[in-house]
Amino acid sequence: MTFELADRVQTVPPSGIRRFFEIAEERDDVISLGVGEPDFATPWAARDAAIASLEQGKTSYTANRGKRELREAIADYVADRFDLGYGPDEEIIVTAGASEAVDLAFRAFVDPGDTVAIAQPSYISYEPGVIFAGGEVLSVPTKQEDDFRLTVEALEDAGADEADMLVLCYPNNPTGAIMTEADLEPIADFARQHDLMVLSDEIYAELTYDGNEHVSIASLEGMRERTIVFNGFSKAHAMTGLRLGYALGPAEAIGAMNKIHQYTMLSAPTTAQHAALEALESCDNDVREMVNQYDRRRQFVLSRFREIGMDVFEAKGAFYCFPEVPEGFTAEEFAEGVLREEGVAVVPGDVFGEGGEGHLRISYATGLDDLRQALARIEAFVDEHA
Ligand code: PMP
C-alpha cells in the first residue's frame, strides 16, 4: 500500500541543513561549524545526580508537569536571573526539551487559519510547528543594519498587526542578536496594541556577552499575561541529549499545554529532571566558565572574519555569528564551495527564513584549535575565489 501523507506533513520541506551534512559525510577531514549544540559535556555534578538517581531506582514517571522540586528550583532561578515571577504549581511545565514546549504552545494556541508572525532569521522549528498546528506563517524579516534586532517598522512592514501571535528568539539563533530592554519596549507596546500573544524562546538567555544581561519580554509591564517563555538546559548547561526544557506562563495557558503534554508525553525524562535540579543548584560556576570560553571564541571568530574582509555584525549572544558572504556568491554557493574545497561545514543563512539571505551561520560551539583551522581554510577559499 502507499501511505497517504497528511497535507500538512507534505507541505513542510525537509530541513535545509541536511544536504550539507550529507556532503560533509563524504569526507573525513571536515571541520563543522554547522552544529547548534555545545561541544562541552554536561557538568559533572549534574551527571552524578543523574547517575545517583538511576542507582536509587528513580526511574518512574514524575508528575505530568515535572517534579515539584524542579519546578520550585526553576521558579527561584527565573525570579533571580530574569526578574520573572512564576509559581511552581500552575505556571511552569517541564518538557522534553524546549522543543516540546514550543510544539505544545503551537498546538494549544493556534487554530487552523490563525496567523503566526515569526521574527526571522530564526530557529528552523517554528515554521514547521505552526504548519503542523494548521496555522499560517507570516515572516517578519530583520536586517543587519538593525543588528538583526526586531523593530516596530519591520513588524508594520510585514503586516504583523493582523497576526494572532508573535514568535521571538533572543538571544537569536542564527544571528547572535540580542534585544535590550529599550529594544523590547516598543515591541511590547506593539503586542499590547494589536493584542498579540507572544511566544518568547529564551533558551540562550545565559549566553550573553560584553556586559549585556538577558531581558525577558515577559518581565515588561503588561506582558506577563500575554507571553509564554521557553527555556531549557540544552545550551547553558550543555545537556542537549538529556532532553529537558520548560515553559512559563499564566496558569490557564500552561494548563492548556499540560492537557496535550499529559496525553502525548506523560512526563519529561525523569533521569534528566534529576540532572536539571542539580544543574540549577550547583552548576553556576560551570555555566560561567563555558560562557567565558564562548566569549573568547566569539571575539576570535569576529576578528578573523574582519581580517578576511567579510562583513560581520557584532553578535552579542548565543554561540553563533552571521557573516555576510563576499559579493558574487549566494550563501548556498559559498557554503557548498567551502565545504567541497576546504572541508569546512557552515550553514547558509537562507534556511533560517527571510533576512538570512547572503549570510552564513557560524557556530563557535567548537574548540579554539578547530576554529583557528576552519577560519584559515575559509580565508584560503575567499583568497582563491573572491
Ligand atoms: N530553541 C532554539 C532557539 C534552539 O536553537 C534550539 C536548539 N538548537 C532549541 C530551541 C531546542 O532546544 P531543546 O534541546 O531544549 O529542545
Side-chain angles (χ1 to χ4, degrees), residues 36 97-99 123 126 169 173 201 203-204 234-235 243-244 320:
S99 302
Y123 180 47
Y126 309 135
C169 172
N173 174 9
D201 184 346
I203 196 158
Y204 294 99
S234 285
K235 313 294 173 173
R243 310 306 305 124
L244 210 69
Y320 308 104

